[in-house]
Amino acid sequence: MSALTLPFRWLATLEWRRGFFEWVRTDGVTWVYIFKVLSAAFLTLWLAMRLELPQPRTAMITVFIVMQPQSGHVFAKSFYRLLGTLAGSSMMVALIALFPQNTELFLPSLAIWVGLCSAGAMRYRTFRAYGFVLAGYTAAMVGLPALQHPDGAFMAAVWRVLEISLGILVSTLVSAAILPQSASASMRNALYQRFGVFAGFVAEGLRGDSQRDRFESSNVRFIAEAVGLESLRSVTAFEDPHMRRRNGRLGRMNSEFMAITTRFNALHQLLERLRLRGPLQIVTAIEPGLTALAELLDGYAGRGLTEGDAARLAEQLAAYKEGLPERVRTLRAAYVESGPSDADLLDFHTAYELLYRFVDDMHSYAQTHASLTEHNHAREQWDEPYVAQTNWMASLAAGVRASFILLVLGSFWILTAWPSGAMMTLIAAATVGLSAATPNPKRMSFQMACGTLFGAFVGFFETFFVFPWIDGFPLLCLVLAPVFVFGAFLASRPAYAGYGLGLLIFFATGSVPDNLTIYNPYNFINDYIAMVIGMLVCAAAGAIILPPNSRWLWSRLEQDLRAQVLYAITGRLRGLGSSFESRTRDLLHQAYGLAVGQPRVQSKLLRWMFVVLEVGHAIIELRKEQAILPVHPCYAESQPWRQAIRVMGRALARLFMQPSASNHERALVAVDHAISRVQATDEPFARHFDTSALRRVQSYLHFIRTSLLDPQSPLAELAPAKGLPHAS
């Protein structure tokens, strides 16, 4: 009997272990984070009380704000919090010195400062934004209480810096010492897994098996990963010297990954257009080279790419790239025998030109990945940083919203002389700062108000019915722990982060006792009413004053997205490819996040991104080809084909800045004219010397034309439905 039940017991044990390790990777990480939050908060509170700091709760609030599941994020957030606190405290001291006991001048100046900081937080959406947030509301939180006693303003600023420094020190120590979760490990895992997913995506697309919805969702994922990895890369520099020595290569890898996704998107879009248009002979002629690459990538699909795998991939891609020209000549000779038209032959050349560029960029990516095994490498020299792009009107709107809230609430405080008016104003400054860089500040502010309201009821019960009956710090921790556990759990869930922050931060602000505890229910109730009103005003302002998740900002970001084509035409050529990639993807990432719940808007934005990347990349390649042309009369600046390309650039810029049927028609005519001019130049000289550069130019021009006529493109709405004509 025991022999029969043994396999079942073994299977049950194996299943239990799998379930346990799955829990450790998911919910277990959350509970470790909550334990670390409690440990750091209570240790900070104890130290602050033992050191007799004026406001121990400020040090503990710092813990709630800077604590993150990964230690690298804690280091980065702590660093920028300290900088923001120093900047805000310095500005507060300067304002108090300029306007002592002059509320009418102090409040407008403070409102302008907080508005500038909120605009900066919207402009820099990484942890740098947090420095701007702290610089804004630190000035308010120190300056408003000290306004009636300007002689103590400097010491108030000093004490706040010390309290925050204590919270930062304890948070970083606890995060690094207790079951540390490093950001560098997360980045390595993301880098290893990302290429495996991409390899499967490419192999599927080359065989023509990918669906449109899956193609779009995969691209959205790659965009989010590129933006997220750039943020993660900046965090790992604070944490891991091993990753810091490879910072240039990590930035280069992210740039090269964006480049290969764009290369493949362009190739995939061209193949899809050819498959939809027919005839199938052109697709049949191209497929042998695609199948060979798909089979090569099958060995890397769905698994992590280690440095050793990357070195092997680089060797395989180098061999494939070396044999590709001979393969193309063989396939072209076989295809020519079937009597294709000039347009079909141009499609053939364009497809293989895109394939060659894609393989070349992927080979470069594999070499960079393989170089991570070495501490020092030549590929570390990379001076093409990731360039974020934020609409200036979105930043201005955040600044105007913050200044307006402070002016309104500050004026209400002055006019009514409400004792808790200062609390209402400074809490509004903190709320508008914390919600400034979020996609939906109204939702964030409202969630924080709800969390604060819940904290008020719990805090009232504990302050007046529990605290008088306990004695000693351990019992205080026991009473506070359930509230902090619940708040930290909510804060760890993105959908409920606002409730968690409101509960943690503002329960601590109003209910955690100081060294000298004062039981005053009148002030307690008034202060919490002021907090909730300040947050609700922020929520209302976020819904009324230029809300960032409204149609006006979608349209502005769409315009900025289209304007990247103009940047590709006029930007400085050095580093243009990587900056064009990062700017375009950053804009799409912002717009896609702001349009959550609007699938039609998101789909349109994604389609604009595809056509912008296709046309913009082709333009950059045209500019690079023209920059390295050999000295010969047919390549001179005065040649008609080069003049035609300049005219085409102006027509494309006009089309993307002002999309219309007439501008679309002008752009098509300009592209056709440029193609015909290049063909007219190529034919007389082809007998005497190599004109491969002109043929590459012709391929990119042809690709731009097919992009403008893509039926999936938003530009297709500007033209009558005539199918996909061949090139002239």
Side-chain angles (χ1 to χ4, degrees):
M1 189 69 176
S2 60
L4 292 175
T5 58
L6 185 60
F8 295 101
R9 291 180 179 176
W10 179 80
L11 288 173
T13 303
L14 182 62
E15 189 65 28
W16 181 86
R17 288 179 179 176
R18 288 177 180 172
F20 175 75
F21 286 121
E22 181 65 26
W23 180 86
V24 168
R25 288 192 297 268
T26 55
D27 291 341
V29 174
T30 301
W31 286 106
V32 168
Y33 163 69
I34 292 173
F35 174 73
K36 290 161 75 171
V37 168
L38 287 179
S39 302
F42 290 141
L43 179 58
T44 301
L45 182 63
W46 180 79
L47 287 172
M49 287 182 168
R50 291 288 294 176
L51 296 172
E52 297 186 357
L53 297 179
Q55 289 186 316
R57 66 184 70 174
T58 300
M60 188 170 63
I61 290 171
T62 299
V63 172
F64 295 142
I65 293 177
V66 303
M67 280 299 287
Q68 299 287 316
Q70 295 174 340
S71 57
H73 290 83
V74 177
F75 298 154
K77 205 168 185 180
S78 300
F79 175 75
Y80 288 114
R81 179 174 174 84
L82 185 59
L83 290 183
T85 300
L86 291 173
S89 300
S90 301
M91 177 55 65
M92 183 277 300
V93 171
L95 291 178
I96 289 290
L98 290 172
F99 311 113
Q101 295 183 328
N102 193 334
T103 311
E104 291 78 8
L105 293 177
F106 176 83
L107 278 178
S109 302
L110 180 63
I112 293 172
W113 171 251
V114 173
L116 291 173
C117 293
S118 297
M122 186 64 183
R123 172 64 180 84
Y124 298 98
R125 297 175 310 283
T126 59
F127 283 116
R128 293 180 183 179
Y130 191 62
F132 284 94
V133 170
L134 263 296
Y137 80 70
T138 295
M141 297 193 79
V142 178
L144 290 174
L147 188 59
Q148 297 176 350
H149 304 284
D151 54 328
F154 178 76
M155 286 308 302
V158 171
W159 283 120
R160 183 169 181 84
V161 170
L162 291 176
E163 290 157 358
I164 288 176
S165 299
L166 176 63
I168 288 172
L169 179 63
V170 174
S171 298
T172 53
L173 289 176
V174 169
S175 180
I178 301 178
L179 298 174
Q181 300 286 327
S182 66
S184 56
S186 297
M187 184 164 189
R188 288 193 192 96
N189 184 63
L191 287 174
Y192 292 162
Q193 299 301 325
R194 180 172 66 169
F195 187 82
V197 176
F198 179 70
F201 172 70
V202 171
E204 187 179 80
L206 291 175
R207 294 187 174 99
D209 298 333
S210 62
Q211 301 294 324
R212 183 73 187 181
D213 292 343
R214 186 174 178 182
F215 176 77
E216 292 185 352
S217 62
S218 296
N219 272 283
V220 171
R221 173 182 176 176
F222 294 142
I223 291 168
E225 287 179 347
V227 176
L229 274 173
E230 184 60 29
S231 176
L232 199 58
R233 183 178 68 86
S234 63
V235 167
T236 57
F238 288 92
E239 176 190 55
D240 190 348
H242 178 85
M243 301 298 281
R244 188 160 55 245
R245 296 189 67 169
R246 291 156 176 80
N247 191 50
R249 278 170 282 175
L250 294 174
R252 182 175 191 145
M253 281 182 65
N254 207 26
S255 178
E256 289 173 341
F257 185 81
M258 290 188 290
I260 62 176
T261 55
T262 298
R263 293 287 192 193
F264 177 70
N265 288 341
L267 176 62
H268 180 271
Q269 296 290 80
L270 177 63
L271 295 174
E272 287 298 301
R273 290 193 284 267
L274 293 177
R275 291 183 177 115
L276 288 173
R277 189 197 72 195
L280 293 179
Q281 288 88 343
I282 176 65
V283 179
T284 305
I286 295 171
E287 278 182 347
L290 306 180
T291 303
L293 180 60
E295 291 173 353
L296 187 155
L297 293 175
D298 281 337
Y300 301 91
R303 65 184 186 88
L305 184 75
T306 64
E307 284 82 0
D309 293 334
R312 187 169 63 256
L313 174 63
E315 293 175 0
Q316 293 173 340
L317 289 173
Y320 178 89
K321 185 174 65 170
E322 185 178 354
L324 189 58
E326 181 61 32
R327 184 192 299 268
V328 172
R329 283 192 290 269
T330 304
L331 292 174
R332 183 182 183 278
Y335 182 50
V336 167
E337 292 180 0
S338 65
S341 65
D342 291 341
D344 286 337
L345 199 57
L346 188 54
D347 283 326
F348 178 89
H349 288 152
T350 301
Y352 270 106
E353 180 64 32
L354 292 174
L355 178 64
Y356 183 85
R357 297 290 185 179
F358 170 58
V359 173
D360 185 55
D361 285 348
M362 192 159 47
H363 177 242
S364 180
Y365 174 84
Q367 286 181 310
T368 306
H369 195 153
S371 72
L372 294 179
T373 56
E374 302 180 25
H375 285 301
N376 299 297
H377 197 276
R379 301 185 79 83
E380 181 69 22
Q381 305 305 317
W382 181 252
D383 58 351
E384 299 180 16
Y386 182 95
V387 180
Q389 181 77 359
T390 304
N391 185 274
W392 66 271
M393 287 190 65
S395 300
L396 180 63
V400 169
R401 194 183 307 119
S403 297
F404 177 80
I405 290 171
L406 253 70
L407 284 174
V408 169
L409 295 183
S411 301
F412 177 81
W413 170 37
I414 293 173
L415 293 174
T416 61
W418 184 22
S420 295
M423 175 67 74
M424 176 182 64
T425 307
L426 66 89
I427 293 301
T431 304
V432 76
L434 291 171
S435 63
T438 60
N440 194 337
K442 174 194 70 174
R443 181 171 176 267
M444 184 68 172
S445 300
F446 183 75
Q447 285 189 352
M448 290 175 68
C450 293
T452 302
L453 184 62
F454 178 75
F457 286 111
V458 176
F460 185 85
F461 174 77
E462 292 200 350
T463 300
F464 297 104
F465 296 97
V466 178
F467 290 165
W469 296 94
I470 63 174
D471 184 25
F473 188 77
L475 286 178
L476 176 64
C477 294
L478 185 65
V479 171
L480 295 177
V483 182
F484 293 162
V485 168
F486 184 55
F489 179 80
L490 291 176
S492 67
R493 297 293 188 265
Y496 308 105
Y499 300 110
L501 282 177
L503 177 59
L504 285 174
I505 296 174
F506 299 107
F507 172 82
T509 300
S511 303
V512 172
D514 289 325
N515 277 325
L516 178 62
T517 304
I518 300 175
Y519 296 98
N520 188 334
Y522 176 81
N523 287 343
F524 184 95
I525 294 172
N526 267 277
D527 284 347
Y528 267 109
I529 290 174
M531 291 183 199
V532 174
I533 290 176
M535 294 176 190
L536 291 177
V537 170
C538 291
I544 298 171
I545 304 175
L546 300 175
N549 59 334
S550 59
R551 188 176 299 275
W552 75 273
L553 187 53
W554 301 339
S555 61
R556 292 295 307 181
L557 289 174
E558 182 186 303
Q559 291 177 29
D560 291 347
L561 196 61
R562 297 198 308 267
Q564 296 311 301
V565 174
L566 179 62
Y567 177 68
I569 295 171
T570 60
R572 186 171 65 96
L573 194 56
R574 179 179 172 80
L576 182 59
S578 58
S579 61
F580 169 77
E581 285 278 0
S582 55
R583 285 163 58 113
T584 304
R585 291 169 186 273
D586 191 64
L587 283 168
L588 189 277
H589 183 67
Q590 291 175 63
Y592 209 85
L594 293 172
V596 169
Q598 301 286 336
R600 294 182 64 182
V601 175
Q602 289 180 324
S603 178
K604 185 179 180 182
L605 288 167
L606 194 61
R607 288 188 294 135
W608 270 118
M609 185 208 70
F610 285 137
V611 71
V612 165
L613 285 176
E614 289 175 16
V615 174
H617 240 292
I619 290 171
I620 293 172
E621 292 298 333
L622 281 172
R623 292 183 59 188
K624 288 180 179 178
E625 288 290 346
Q626 294 180 78
I628 60 174
L629 288 173
V631 178
H632 192 275
C634 78
Y635 298 138
E637 288 283 347
S638 58
Q639 282 290 324
W641 69 270
R642 299 197 71 162
Q643 296 178 9
I645 289 178
R646 285 193 289 271
V647 171
M648 179 200 70
R650 291 193 291 270
L652 289 173
R654 190 182 303 111
L655 169 63
F656 280 89
M657 295 304 293
Q658 297 177 344
S660 66
S662 59
N663 286 338
H664 185 257
E665 183 65 28
R666 290 192 189 98
L668 279 174
V669 170
V671 174
D672 284 338
H673 181 64
I675 293 174
S676 64
R677 286 296 186 184
V678 174
Q679 288 175 335
T681 303
D682 179 46
E683 292 170 0
F685 288 91
R687 299 177 182 176
H688 304 290
F689 66 99
D690 181 23
T691 56
S692 56
L694 284 178
R695 289 173 184 168
R696 287 195 297 270
V697 168
Q698 191 174 346
S699 293
Y700 284 116
L701 290 171
H702 178 65
F703 179 71
I704 291 174
R705 186 178 189 279
T706 60
S707 297
L708 297 181
L709 291 171
D710 183 3
Q712 301 291 338
S713 165
L715 293 173
E717 302 171 2
L718 306 177
K722 298 179 181 178
L724 186 61
H726 292 264
S728 301

